[in-house]
Amino acid sequence: MREPVERVDEQDRVLGVVDRDEAIRNGWPHRIATTMCRDPQGRVLVHRRPEHVSRFPGHYDWLIGGAAEVGESYEEAAARELAEELGVRTRVRFVFKFLCRGAISPYWLGVHEAVVAAPLTPDPSAIAWYGWVGEAELGEALRTRLFVPDGVEALRRHPGLSAPSAARRQPTPPPP
């Protein structure tokens, strides 16, 4: 298996281990862990995905994350993804999870928050550009840039953020 993940059911109970591509192909739920990063001033990290990636090339997102590995908790996966994608190690706080029907396939999405004070060293294979924005700027970006649709869905459900009516699909993403 290239990327083993736990296949889970509609209640997030483990059914077995499968390859992530197989889970996506068959529409089997698995687990994804993400983190909303804030700087010490409270701004939110927004980033743009590289053009060469297979999933949502060139799209913007406000979440950092990826698939939970076999036996890994949502929190462990979220912290690992921050280290891999941003080069920072910090404590993450679980906020909520939901069964995301997903633009590509269904999965349980665990959303976390972290305050990131350390300098970032983004992995260029995952992050082409990044910047810190206030919540109002995030709302404006959602109206004018093309965001990963599942991230927009998570923003609508986030209990601590006002999901601006910005959570609509935007036309064309301008350059950063």
Side-chain angles (χ1 to χ4, degrees), residues 13 26 42 47 57 59 65 68 87 95 97 100 116 143 162 173:
R13 294 179 298 220
N26 291 303
H47 65 94
H59 284 57
V95 179
K97 74 176 181 176
C100 181
V116 178
R143 283 188 290 279
S162 55

Side-chain angles (χ1 to χ4, degrees), residues 68-115:
E69 294 177 353
V70 175
E72 196 174 40
S73 71
Y74 284 102
E75 291 83 1
E76 291 166 336
R80 176 183 49 76
E81 290 288 339
L82 282 180
E84 289 175 4
E85 295 189 14
L86 292 178
V88 296
R89 296 193 187 282
T90 191
R91 187 181 146 285
V92 299
R93 182 179 65 82
F94 179 82
V95 179
F96 69 104
K97 74 176 181 176
F98 69 100
L99 181 58
C100 181
R101 294 301 171 187
I104 295 175
S105 77
Y107 56 88
W108 278 92
L109 181 62
V111 179
H112 303 76
E113 291 183 355
V115 175

Side-chain angles (χ1 to χ4, degrees), residues 4-5 88 95 121 123 141 144 156 158 162:
V5 295
V88 296
V95 179
T121 53
D123 175 355
T144 60
R156 284 189 190 113
H158 194 290
S162 55

Side-chain angles (χ1 to χ4, degrees), residues 49-72:
R49 297 172 56 78
E51 294 295 334
H52 69 273
V53 296
S54 62
R55 297 179 183 116
F56 308 108
H59 284 57
Y60 289 80
D61 205 349
W62 64 286
L63 295 169
I64 299 288
E69 294 177 353
V70 175
E72 196 174 40

